[in-house]
Amino acid sequence: MEVIRVEGGAPVEGAVTVEGAKNSALKLMAATLMAPGVNTLTNVPNIADVHVMGKVLKYLGAKIDVLGEHELRIDTTTIDKWEAPYHLVAQMRASTAVLGPLLARFGKAVVAMPGGCNIGARKIDMHILGLEALGVHFDIDHGDIHATTPGGMRGALVTLDFASVGATENLMMASVHAKGTTVIDNAAREPEIVDLANLLNEMGAKVRGAGSPVIEIEGVGELRPVTHRVVGDRIEAGTFVAMAGLCGRPVTVRGFEPVHLGLVLKKYELMGIRVERGQHQVTISRDAPLASVDIQTLPFPGFPTDMQAQTMCLLARASNSSVVTENVFENRFMFASELQRMGADIRIEGHHAIVHGVKAFSGAKVKSPDLRGGAALVMAGLVADGVTTVSDIHHIDRGYERFVEKLQALGAWVTREEVPDPETDDD
Ligand code: EPZ
């Protein structure tokens, strides 16, 4: 099996450029279904999840040319299916992002119910409730969601129970051709939502208010294909920012908007990390001990859940105690139990993790629980005594392009290695 091997103590410093945002690119790819013709996306990250979304679009009939490592030409002229099959949805929950586009284009869709994953149940009840308000009718049959619009779609006011990113996106896309105006209240405000709204408006849609809690979509006719650059990945950037804050030497992280990491950078400054903000970049350094702060994950502009593991790694080395509260997912502390194997002192109580800072981590064999937790385990290994090997690194490859190469370029003693799988060696 493949592992990432980290030897602690390397002088990590220099500069790294992040890719386009995974959590935008996947939805922009799905949105090309709504604009028949040749769409070109640039700054697309070369990661496993993008490859899976490419498989979904090809299954539906799209033709995809990879024009360069980060440029996709997606021809959606002849889409002859409206079903996202289980074997693809099971690989990646984000495949459900084709639901809105297929409803907009065909007025019907069949999407496999997404299973749970390592961080929680990942239901789509808010997607369904919101779409029903637009006139969509759902039948659940043998694990598949059959969506139809017997009387067409009409605009409506939809108030989300929770500012769900996925539900906001599916509603925004499905309502583009609805008769009349749709208002999404308590909408997600993430920068990736704004990127999607910008793409839809470039295609000829009329979406107003993205980035605020109230998004208004006026129904329009056919959309036209476009060329669009994916917004920089604030979470990949935040991951390298956290690493630099942990290691202490100066690291410049390029290719994203610092304002998209507002609260994260502010919390890190309170922890004693120096942040120099620039044009599409930050420079990070630290020469004081890490101070403890409390963290509550919330929808944007609150503290992002996708930065929780990386931040817990920092807090586990801080001078006092902190409380990390995970409000977005019901089961996103597995990283903490792996970090305890490296000597962290963390107690989980429901949605809270009480973190007592320790003076050192010791290298150990650990398992990546999800893509952010996996990256955070590698981060812990950078400052651990001895060697850390992280397994289940397919999670990391889902969302981080050339992760090991980028770390090596920063001077980290990190390699990808093939090792015998202890589980299969037993028999
Ligand atoms: C997106 O997931 C991201 N994934 C996640 O990033 C991110 O953590 C999350 O937004 C929150 O920011 C992609 O964009 C591909 P939600 P999504 O709908 O859309 C519950 C990563 O590491 N919920 O905002 O699934 C849900 O179970 C990944 O890159 C319902 O109960 O997130 C979760 O507990 C991890 N019913 C919470 O709401 C619904 O209908 C937030 O989910 C929808 C969601």
Side-chain angles (χ1 to χ4, degrees):
M1 67 182 180
E2 264 205 306
V3 298
I4 291 179
R5 183 182 186 279
V6 197
E7 198 169 334
V12 172
E13 65 181 295
V16 60
T17 301
V18 299
E19 316 300 336
K22 164 177 89 81
N23 293 347
S24 178
L26 298 176
K27 298 25 157 349
L28 302 181
M29 289 173 74
T32 63
L33 293 166
M34 299 167 65
V38 177
N39 294 271
T40 301
L41 296 179
T42 61
N43 200 32
V44 180
N46 183 8
I47 52 176
D49 274 8
V50 163
H51 305 153
V52 174
M53 185 55 87
K55 278 197 262 181
V56 174
L57 295 184
K58 283 184 195 154
Y59 176 88
L60 297 170
K63 292 183 195 61
I64 299 182
D65 295 311
V66 180
L67 300 182
E69 199 190 354
H70 301 116
E71 191 169 333
L72 296 182
R73 182 166 58 195
I74 305 174
D75 184 346
T76 57
T77 311
T78 51
I79 296 298
D80 48 18
K81 283 197 193 73
W82 42 86
E83 178 196 350
Y86 178 66
H87 73 279
L88 292 174
V89 175
Q91 272 185 60
M92 182 183 66
R93 164 194 164 78
S95 314
T96 52
V98 300
L99 177 57
L102 291 174
L103 283 168
R105 181 161 178 166
F106 297 112
K108 57 185 174 182
V110 180
V111 176
M113 284 289 279
C117 72
N118 290 356
I119 56 180
R122 308 298 294 275
K123 305 194 297 287
I124 59 167
D125 53 326
M126 285 189 268
H127 300 232
I128 291 175
L129 273 175
L131 291 167
E132 282 174 338
L134 300 181
V136 182
H137 181 73
F138 288 93
D139 286 306
I140 312 272
D141 175 39
H142 294 92
D144 282 337
I145 302 167
H146 293 258
T148 52
T149 53
M153 277 197 271
R154 62 195 174 286
L157 165 63
V158 177
T159 303
L160 293 176
D161 285 357
F162 180 88
S164 154
V165 168
T168 302
E169 290 161 342
N170 261 331
L171 284 164
M172 207 158 67
M173 293 188 280
S175 59
V176 162
H177 296 320
K179 287 185 198 58
T181 299
T182 297
V183 174
I184 308 171
D185 202 353
N186 193 22
R189 302 169 56 185
E190 275 70 2
E192 294 77 30
I193 299 279
V194 176
D195 200 25
L196 176 60
N198 290 342
L199 172 98
L200 293 173
N201 286 336
E202 288 152 24
M203 289 175 164
K206 287 203 172 85
V207 180
R208 278 186 293 277
S212 86
V214 182
I215 300 179
E216 194 178 277
I217 304 102
E218 194 184 318
V220 295
E222 176 119 328
L223 298 186
R224 56 183 177 277
V226 294
T227 293
H228 180 91
R229 178 180 172 77
V230 181
V231 69
D233 193 324
R234 62 192 168 102
I235 304 297
E236 183 188 9
T239 305
F240 285 106
V241 164
M243 277 180 193
L246 182 65
C247 298
R249 292 167 182 254
V251 173
T252 297
V253 183
R254 298 194 177 102
F256 80 110
E257 302 311 320
V259 70
H260 291 165
L261 272 183
L263 186 53
V264 173
L265 297 176
K266 210 152 88 183
K267 285 284 186 178
Y268 286 11
E269 286 174 314
L270 291 173
M271 293 175 69
I273 293 168
R274 188 176 307 114
V275 179
E276 287 160 55
R277 292 166 179 76
Q279 276 286 328
H280 319 306
Q281 68 176 53
V282 292
T283 296
I284 302 295
S285 59
R286 176 174 64 84
D287 45 27
L290 282 167
S292 300
V293 297
D294 293 340
I295 301 289
Q296 293 246 15
T297 67
L298 284 168
F300 193 89
F303 197 92
T305 174
D306 293 348
M307 282 299 301
Q308 183 247 96
Q310 303 91 314
T311 307
M312 192 182 295
C313 183
L314 279 171
L315 294 170
R317 292 294 298 269
S319 41
N320 279 305
S321 301
S322 319
V323 179
V324 176
T325 305
E326 173 55 58
N327 295 306
V328 177
F329 287 100
E330 63 262 28
N331 179 23
R332 202 171 194 178
F333 282 141
M334 284 81 58
F335 160 75
S337 23
E338 289 301 305
L339 194 63
Q340 278 163 323
R341 286 178 44 72
M342 298 175 70
D345 178 357
I346 303 172
R347 197 174 74 248
I348 307 294
E349 286 181 8
H351 277 251
H352 305 285
I354 292 88
V355 186
H356 301 293
V358 293
K359 294 244 176 301
F361 291 148
S362 55
K365 287 183 172 43
V366 288
K367 198 176 265 206
S368 172
D370 66 83
L371 80 150
R372 307 303 172 188
L377 287 168
V378 172
M379 170 179 157
L382 296 175
V383 296
D385 301 332
V387 172
T388 300
T389 49
V390 183
S391 58
D392 279 5
I393 56 175
H394 60 278
H395 285 298
I396 299 176
D397 293 336
R398 290 189 49 190
Y400 290 94
E401 178 186 325
R402 288 182 299 108
F403 190 56
V404 166
E405 292 83 344
K406 286 173 179 167
L407 286 169
Q408 287 169 341
L410 288 170
W413 298 330
V414 182
T415 50
R416 261 183 113 98
E417 297 189 353
E418 190 61 41
V419 298
D421 185 341
E423 265 130 55
T424 51
D425 282 2
D426 291 351
D427 45 338

